[in-house]
């Protein structure tokens, strides 16, 4: 059997940890700060790794660090190597009735409202684990799924990918909202036509919420009067509170994000049925802690969040 000797040149586990820090923090300076190292030290270790594989790990464009294809492959390998040690650590800990290791999650923006409430009880059960949580828009999270760095990814509309698998985890009803002093908020019954006549605040192109709204409108043969497009739920909520228009958002942004002066509008065609999914790469081997978390997600974690939705009558 032919044996690769590349490992003899790539370097130490510490260099791989530095590599992941640069990747996860998006730059040399941030990685150095997180690791309590100097920037020259981090840069030197990255150069050594690049020299070892015979290709640059990243490129700089207008102060923006972007990993090369070779760099991404090394990042994926570094995760596998370090996770192997984490699995050993977790397995040994499990033998002593402990759970240790690192759980890595990448989630889309809207799910950030409920994910901390999901993680809280899990981390209380296993206080020795570390959690790395990346929040981004749908396109950024899809890119991280392609890279296969994290254990799990959370989407409302998961990508169709042969190298990934998923479970439907939680209802994600999309509801119409307005300021409490808005004329529509005084009505006990509304139709979609009423909503279509109002200035509408829409999420950005590529957002899972926007995708669901547009699919729903096509099925109803309706169109909205979009006044503004925004890249976050918080911006939409504050704009609605400022009287700039109405919107449709995930019920979770009200359940966990605070309702303030917002009210749910009783539009008879709503809510839009949507769901949250936990997704993982089928090419990445799951750690012991990841297996435990997935089991928790499918049992008490799911019930915990569903109970909150029912309590808030969504």
């Amino acid at each position: 059997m032919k044996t690769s000797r590349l490992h003899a040149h790539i370097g130490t586990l510490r260099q791989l940890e530095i590599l992941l820090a640069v990747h996860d923090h998006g730059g040399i300076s941030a990685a150095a700060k997180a690791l309590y190292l100097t920037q020259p030290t981090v840069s030197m270790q990255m150069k050594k790794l690049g020299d070892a594989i015979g290709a640059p790990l990243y490129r700089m464009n207008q102060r923006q660090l972007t990993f090369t294809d070779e760099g991404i492959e090394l990042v994926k390998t570094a995760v596998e190597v370090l996770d192997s040690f984490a699995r050993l650590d977790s397995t040994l800990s499990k033998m002593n009735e402990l759970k240790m290791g690192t759980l890595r999650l990448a989630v889309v923006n809207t799910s950030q409202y409920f994910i901390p409430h999901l993680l809280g009880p899990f981390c209380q059960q296993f206080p020795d684990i570390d959690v790395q949580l990346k929040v981004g828009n749908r396109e950024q999270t899809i890119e991280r799924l392609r890279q296969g760095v994290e254990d799990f990814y959370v989407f409302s509309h998961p990508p169709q990918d042969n190298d990934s698998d998923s479970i439907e985890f939680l209802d994600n009803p999309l509801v119409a909202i307005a300021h409490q002093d808005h004329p529509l908020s005084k009505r006990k019954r509304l139709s979609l036509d009423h909503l279509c006549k109002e200035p509408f605040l829409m999420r950005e192109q590529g957002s899972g919420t926007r995708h669901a709204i547009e699919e729903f409108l096509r099925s109803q043969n309706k169109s909205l009067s979009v006044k503004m497009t925004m890249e976050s739920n918080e911006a939409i909520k504050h704009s609605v509170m400022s009287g700039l228009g109405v919107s449709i958002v995930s019920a979770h942004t009200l359940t966990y994000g605070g309702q303030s002066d917002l009210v749910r509008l009783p539009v008879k065609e709503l809510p839009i049925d949507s769901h949250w999914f936990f997704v993982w790469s089928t090419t990445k081997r799951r750690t012991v802690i990841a297996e435990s978390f997935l089991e928790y997600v499918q049992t008490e974690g799911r019930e915990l969040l569903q109970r909150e939705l029912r309590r808030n009558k969504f």
Side-chain angles (χ1 to χ4, degrees):
M1 181 178 68
K2 185 177 180 180
T3 303
S4 169
R5 297 295 299 167
L6 181 60
H7 67 279
H9 304 288
I10 284 183
T12 66
L13 294 177
R14 183 55 171 166
Q15 286 179 322
L16 298 183
E17 289 175 341
I18 293 172
L19 170 71
L20 288 186
V22 172
H23 178 269
D24 290 344
H25 291 279
I28 299 295
S29 177
K33 184 177 181 180
L35 297 173
Y36 301 98
L37 298 173
T38 64
Q39 291 186 40
T41 296
V42 173
S43 296
M44 180 180 65
Q45 296 303 326
M46 292 300 93
K47 185 178 185 306
K48 286 183 177 180
L49 282 173
D51 291 343
I53 66 172
L57 301 180
Y58 55 83
R59 295 187 178 90
M60 298 297 298
N61 183 18
Q62 297 180 346
R63 297 186 179 182
Q64 180 72 32
L65 186 149
T66 303
F67 270 73
T68 62
D69 291 343
E70 293 87 351
I72 289 297
E73 288 303 314
L74 185 54
V75 166
K76 292 163 67 173
T77 298
V79 169
E80 291 176 3
V81 170
L82 295 175
D83 274 352
S84 294
F85 282 93
R87 281 194 296 272
L88 175 61
D89 193 12
S90 297
T91 300
L92 294 176
S93 297
K94 192 175 182 181
M95 291 177 181
N96 293 312
E97 297 182 347
L98 295 172
K99 289 287 181 74
M100 299 178 65
T102 299
L103 178 67
R104 296 182 176 89
L105 303 175
V107 307
V108 295
N109 288 311
T110 303
S111 67
Q112 69 181 303
Y113 290 98
F114 67 80
I115 285 295
H117 297 271
L118 179 68
L119 287 170
F122 183 75
C123 291
Q124 288 176 6
Q125 290 181 44
F126 309 113
D128 294 320
I129 69 167
D130 295 321
V131 177
Q132 294 182 5
L133 177 63
K134 296 293 179 182
V135 180
N137 60 32
R138 187 170 185 271
E139 292 180 357
Q140 291 168 334
T141 308
I142 288 175
E143 180 58 30
R144 296 192 75 89
L145 172 59
R146 292 193 182 113
Q147 295 175 11
V149 175
E150 281 81 19
D151 297 301
F152 299 106
Y153 307 81
V154 177
F155 295 94
S156 58
H157 294 83
Q160 301 301 312
D161 191 331
N162 292 332
D163 291 331
S164 66
D165 204 352
S166 66
I167 58 165
E168 184 180 308
F169 161 65
L170 183 67
D171 292 338
N172 181 34
L174 303 182
V175 299
I177 59 171
H179 186 270
Q180 63 181 7
D181 294 330
H182 192 284
L184 292 186
S185 69
K186 314 302 180 185
R187 303 279 296 272
K188 293 184 178 181
R189 297 178 63 185
L190 294 169
S191 70
L192 188 58
D193 287 329
H194 290 104
L195 206 64
C196 291
K197 295 174 183 177
E198 297 294 323
F200 191 85
L201 310 178
M202 180 69 89
R203 280 295 302 269
E204 79 283 7
Q205 196 68 248
S207 159
T209 299
R210 177 168 181 152
H211 174 78
I213 293 172
E214 290 177 340
E215 286 290 307
F216 171 74
L217 291 172
R218 276 192 285 270
S219 71
Q220 299 291 316
N221 196 27
K222 302 288 185 181
S223 61
L224 296 167
S225 178
V226 177
K227 179 178 181 180
M228 299 176 67
T229 300
M230 303 181 184
E231 293 188 356
S232 78
N233 291 298
E234 286 304 300
I236 284 181
K237 287 167 60 179
H238 284 282
S239 296
V240 171
M241 286 189 284
S242 298
L244 293 176
V246 299
S247 190
I248 295 175
V249 298
S250 167
H252 295 284
T253 67
L254 303 181
T255 301
Y256 297 107
Q259 298 190 38
S260 300
D261 297 328
L262 300 177
V263 296
R264 175 184 173 183
L265 297 177
V267 179
K268 68 178 182 180
E269 293 89 349
L270 299 181
I272 300 172
D273 289 331
S274 180
H275 304 277
W276 289 111
F277 294 82
F278 265 81
V279 181
W280 59 89
S281 172
T282 55
T283 61
K284 177 179 170 62
R285 185 174 179 180
R286 278 206 294 269
T287 64
V288 173
I289 200 65
E291 290 283 3
S292 299
F293 182 68
L294 185 60
E295 180 180 352
Y296 162 79
V297 161
Q298 295 181 88
T299 53
E300 57 193 284
R302 172 188 281 146
E303 176 54 33
L304 170 70
L305 298 187
Q306 290 283 29
R307 189 163 58 245
E308 282 300 308
L309 277 178
R310 291 194 296 267
R311 188 173 67 84
N312 285 276
K313 299 180 181 180
F314 289 121

